[in-house]
Amino acid sequence: MIAVFVYCFSEEKGWVTSQSVIQDKRPNKRVYSITEIGRRAFVEWLHESAPLFENPHEPLLMRVFFGANAPEVTLELLKSCRDMCLESLEGQFANNQADIDNYTSESHDAKKDSRYWQMAADFGTAYAKTVATWAQECIDKLEIHCEGEK
């Protein structure tokens, strides 16, 4: 929660405080804590109405949409997209549960938050799987189409 909060709000507004922690066997880190004013601002932010899904003209989709102008480039783009999603699934998303469990064990307050963190992590995993599958289906279609043109 704090990472998202720090991203959305700033220390300058007094909503979070931070301190440097020097560690021996790991890189030094900055630890953030939410202030009472920050907690109230955060809850207000959670209550704001916002569109659930937006159509942001995703750059990847724009390139695919106009991909007939450069099929080879589009094919490579889709392969890169698929590979990045698969790497995420094997890397950062593979350790989500362990990371959540580890943090929860260190902080009693985190136990109530962990199911929400897990739901957000599940979304990331599902999204990466879906995009990887979609990219592979596009690759298959383009490769079949390219073979038919030869």
Side-chain angles (χ1 to χ4, degrees):
M1 174 180 82
I2 286 295
V4 171
F5 189 77
V6 169
Y7 176 76
C8 295
F9 302 102
S10 71
E11 198 170 359
E12 295 146 5
K13 293 182 179 181
W15 293 343
V16 294
T17 59
S18 68
Q19 66 180 36
S20 294
V21 175
I22 298 172
Q23 303 183 106
D24 290 332
K25 296 181 181 178
R26 300 176 82 180
N28 295 339
K29 64 181 180 179
R30 189 152 206 85
V31 176
Y32 291 87
S33 299
I34 189 168
T35 65
E36 192 53 42
I37 294 168
R39 189 171 305 282
R40 286 194 299 267
F42 184 67
V43 170
E44 286 177 28
W45 177 74
L46 288 173
H47 282 91
E48 287 179 12
S49 65
L52 293 178
F53 292 98
E54 295 181 25
N55 183 2
H57 299 288
E58 169 64 46
L60 170 66
L61 295 179
M62 296 297 287
R63 286 178 168 82
V64 170
F65 186 83
F66 294 107
N69 294 291
E72 305 81 21
V73 174
T74 304
L75 186 59
E76 289 308 310
L77 177 70
L78 289 163
K79 288 178 180 179
S80 292
C81 175
R82 176 205 56 204
D83 294 347
M84 286 174 56
C85 289
L86 294 174
E87 287 172 17
S88 291
L89 289 167
E90 293 171 5
Q92 75 183 75
F93 293 125
N95 299 318
N96 277 343
Q97 187 61 54
D99 291 342
I100 290 170
D101 291 344
N102 184 40
Y103 188 72
T104 302
S105 69
E106 294 175 5
S107 170
H108 178 67
D109 292 338
K111 289 188 188 332
K112 66 180 175 122
D113 297 331
S114 65
R115 81 180 61 153
Y116 297 93
W117 299 343
Q118 187 60 56
M119 290 186 290
D122 291 345
F123 176 86
T125 299
Y127 183 78
K129 285 179 183 177
T130 299
V131 172
T133 300
W134 167 81
Q136 185 59 57
E137 289 170 356
C138 292
I139 292 164
D140 294 344
K141 288 175 186 174
L142 287 177
E143 287 177 341
I144 289 171
H145 180 73
C146 290
E147 285 295 318
E149 289 183 348
K150 290 182 180 179

